[in-house]
Structures are given as structure tokens and as C-alpha cells.
Amino acid sequence: MQGQINTELGSITIDADVIAAYAGSVAIGCSGIVGMATLDMRDGLMKLLKKDSIKRGIEVAIEENEIYLAFHMIVAYGVNIPVVSENLMDSVKYQVEAFTGMKIGRIDIFVEGVRVID
């Protein structure tokens, strides 16, 4: 899946993996988010992804040059989940739109777990 932007000089194609990696790096920078999560098929439990594979915890769909994102994340214990989610949505929307030149159509957030931070 790719997004395409047409300019007077030609067209720019952005792969969904690039958008996922960038959105993941923005998300990790948000306060209260521990990391992205994925389902471990061996035991059916959610596990925290390492920083080099955070894009696996983000689903990207591009339709008519609008980006739709779904984050599967783990939050820090004791945070206000609605506030953290709103902060994530605002930050990702602003930064991904500036990075890609495309509009964000929707951002879904799935809190898959809570972790205690030292």
C-alpha cells in the first residue's frame, strides 16, 4: 500500500511501512507511552516490541490519499489513558501530515497493556 502525491515536477510515492515507522517514532516520544505491542502467536499474549520493530504494532491504510492509522500500544501504569491517547492523536496527526503532505483520516488506539516504569 502506498500514498501518492502529485506535484508539477512529478509524483511522490510513500510506502505504508515508512509512514508506520515514522508514526511509531512519534508515538514513542509521547509521554505515558511505553511502546508498541504485538500478539505473540505462540502463547496468545501481547508483547512489547523493540524500538527497531515498532512498525509491527501500527496498522496503516491509505485510501484516496488519506492515511488511516491504528496503534496497538502499552501505556505506563498510573497515566490517564484518555489524556495520553488525545496527546498521541494530536502529535501524530500534526507530525505525520507535515512529514507526508497527506491528510490523516482517522487514528484508532488500542491499549493492549499497562507496564510499571521504574
Side-chain angles (χ1 to χ4, degrees):
M1 194 172 336
Q2 299 175 338
Q4 188 166 351
I5 303 165
N6 295 314
T7 68
E8 63 276 356
L9 299 175
S11 62
I12 302 166
T13 304
I14 304 171
D15 191 71
D17 282 348
V18 173
I19 295 170
Y22 186 74
S25 67
V26 171
I28 295 299
C30 292
S31 176
I33 297 176
V34 176
M36 296 300 117
T38 188
L39 180 64
D40 187 350
M41 294 306 206
R42 289 176 285 162
D43 54 16
L45 298 174
M46 295 307 285
K47 71 175 191 173
L48 182 65
L49 293 168
K50 295 184 172 149
K51 289 192 189 254
D52 58 344
S53 60
I54 57 174
K55 67 183 179 183
R56 287 187 19 223
I58 302 168
E59 298 169 28
V60 178
I62 302 169
E63 296 175 14
E64 298 175 12
N65 278 341
E66 274 195 342
I67 301 169
Y68 298 89
L69 298 168
F71 289 86
H72 297 270
M73 63 184 196
I74 296 175
V75 297
Y77 178 78
V79 299
N80 185 325
I81 293 174
V83 171
V84 169
S85 298
E86 190 69 34
N87 182 33
L88 171 68
M89 287 181 190
D90 291 343
S91 185
V92 166
K93 182 178 185 325
Y94 175 76
Q95 292 189 38
V96 171
E97 284 182 350
F99 178 67
T100 63
M102 298 166 59
K103 292 288 181 195
I104 298 288
R106 181 181 177 120
I107 299 173
D108 293 320
I109 297 176
F110 301 94
V111 177
E112 305 290 358
V114 177
R115 291 268 171 103
V116 175
I117 304 268
D118 293 334

